[in-house]
Amino acid sequence: MTLKVALASFAHVHAGSYAHLLAAMPDVEVLAADPDGASAPDEGPRGAALAEAFGVPYVDTYDELFAWGPDAVIVTSENAGHRALVERAASVGAHVLCEKPLATEVADGEAMLAACEAAGVILMIAYPVRFAPSYLQLRANVEAGRLGDVFAVLGTNNGKIPYAARQWFVDAKQAGGGAMVDHTVHCADLIDGLTGGASATRVYAASNRILHQDKGVEVETGGLVTINYDNGLLATIDFSWSVPDNGPTWGGVSLQVTGTNGSVEIEPFRPHVGGTDANGEVFLGIGGNLDESMLDTFLDAVRTSGPAVAGRPPAVVPQPDGAVGLRTLRIVDAARRSAASGQAVDL
């Protein structure tokens, strides 16, 4: 079955990876639109130029993109644009893979879930680290009880500031915040996958703008988020844009999970081949492509579910789904409010 997959915007840095992977899939037709790309103050190419670089057909407007009749839409716009594009996809019965975070505001996220549920379309969130073999093994060990009762998790997500390639990441209105929004959600999702349905009850956060003062950045560039869950779990997430601009890799993610029987730590992006070349230090990651695993999961679910029917839930809802996206958005929203007030925020 050939699927028509629309790529809505090249604003997100992951859009290029998705375009590259989709263009190589034999049973997928791709069409991209990036109407805001020409006016974006970014160093990297956008719009038709980027589509041509990946060999992907391109149209100038979202009207043309949705008139094409896509089976699925991948939303990779600025965070503040997610709601409009997801709701538009749902209105034409297209299944959706939406970049993280789900939205910049909780009310928008709730509206997006409601629109997709009413239309009977899939809403999946782009959390590719869920598909890392080390995380899948960790989750299997937790679910099998090998760590005993899990009571503490320490997550880190530290990377480069995406300032030059995509300046909207440091625009509080377009992104919803800075490093806290960009990086906390990944770890919050991984923790969510280990909790067995536990809910976050209290969030405390502290943030600062110490890093990248030379760039005039007005959003947070580092900090800590602490989350209490109703099953007694305590989780802490260290987020930052602390990797130097000239670093050999974008950054990394780690997760240390401690239970009554022991502790396990994973770093899904650590395996690599290192060295130097004429430009300096080299970091070549090894292992499977997590974006590809995520896209395969999404497209398999689209094929299984078939055409959307309003009021009928899709046959397959792949994880991480829209509900996970909303739970992690609520954590980030609470963290923003806590950092601003200096007080813990109850959920």
Side-chain angles (χ1 to χ4, degrees):
M1 174 185 175
T2 299
L3 292 179
K4 298 170 72 174
V5 180
L7 191 57
S9 182
F10 286 132
H12 200 283
V13 291
H14 290 167
S17 171
Y18 304 152
H20 171 73
L21 292 166
L22 291 167
M25 293 181 179
D27 297 326
V28 171
E29 295 179 23
V30 190
L31 185 64
D34 186 27
D36 302 319
S39 60
D42 299 327
E43 292 183 5
R46 292 267 308 259
L50 190 57
E52 182 179 3
F54 288 109
V56 172
Y58 182 83
V59 291
D60 291 320
T61 68
Y62 288 137
D63 286 343
E64 295 170 276
L65 186 72
F66 286 99
W68 180 57
D71 300 300
V73 177
I74 300 177
V75 174
T76 43
S77 68
E78 297 87 350
N79 298 342
H82 288 180
R83 176 177 175 174
L85 289 168
V86 168
E87 289 182 334
R88 189 163 185 179
S91 72
V92 299
H95 301 289
V96 184
L97 173 63
C98 182
E99 256 302 337
K100 61 80 188 171
L102 176 64
T104 57
E105 301 295 338
V106 171
D108 289 335
E110 292 171 341
M112 293 158 68
L113 260 69
C116 290
E117 289 172 359
V121 301
I122 289 168
L123 176 58
M124 182 176 174
I125 310 302
Y127 284 134
V129 190
R130 279 260 192 152
F131 300 89
S134 59
Y135 177 74
L136 295 174
Q137 183 61 56
L138 169 62
R139 185 171 178 176
N141 286 332
V142 169
E143 291 176 347
R146 295 188 178 94
L147 272 66
D149 295 326
V150 174
F151 60 84
V153 178
L154 172 61
T156 70
N157 190 352
N158 309 127
K160 292 182 179 181
I161 186 172
Y163 176 82
R166 296 292 184 265
Q167 288 193 21
W168 67 265
F169 274 95
V170 298
D171 182 325
K173 183 176 181 180
Q174 292 295 313
M180 182 187 294
V181 174
D182 188 29
H183 283 180
T184 298
V185 289
H186 274 301
C187 287
D189 171 63
L190 298 179
I191 296 167
D192 189 276
L194 301 175
T195 61
S199 299
T201 58
R202 175 169 289 187
V203 176
Y204 177 78
S207 65
N208 60 65
R209 294 182 291 174
I210 296 172
L211 300 171
H212 305 291
Q213 291 187 18
D214 58 316
K215 298 180 176 69
V217 175
E218 297 183 356
V219 292
E220 74 283 351
T221 55
L224 289 171
V225 176
T226 301
I227 312 164
N228 295 92
Y229 290 82
D230 60 4
N231 65 349
L233 174 67
L234 177 65
T236 300
I237 299 172
D238 173 345
F239 66 86
S240 72
W241 285 328
S242 56
V243 174
D245 294 338
N246 62 352
T249 186
W250 64 271
V253 175
S254 73
L255 206 67
Q256 184 182 66
V257 180
T258 303
T260 51
N261 289 347
S263 181
V264 172
E265 183 173 1
I266 63 168
E267 295 185 60
F269 298 102
R270 186 176 179 83
H272 71 285
V273 175
T276 59
D277 64 10
N279 297 316
E281 190 178 358
V282 173
F283 186 107
L284 300 175
I286 59 177
N289 187 315
L290 304 188
D291 285 350
E292 184 174 16
S293 297
M294 181 180 68
L295 285 177
D296 285 343
T297 298
F298 172 63
L299 296 179
D300 285 347
V302 171
R303 290 187 174 95
T304 302
S305 294
V309 176
R312 187 187 73 187
V316 177
V317 181
Q319 294 296 320
D321 63 7
V324 174
L326 184 57
R327 289 195 295 272
T328 52
L329 175 58
R330 285 176 172 148
I331 288 171
V332 167
D333 178 66
R336 289 184 304 201
R337 290 185 280 133
S338 174
S341 69
Q343 303 296 318
V345 172
D346 291 328
L347 295 175

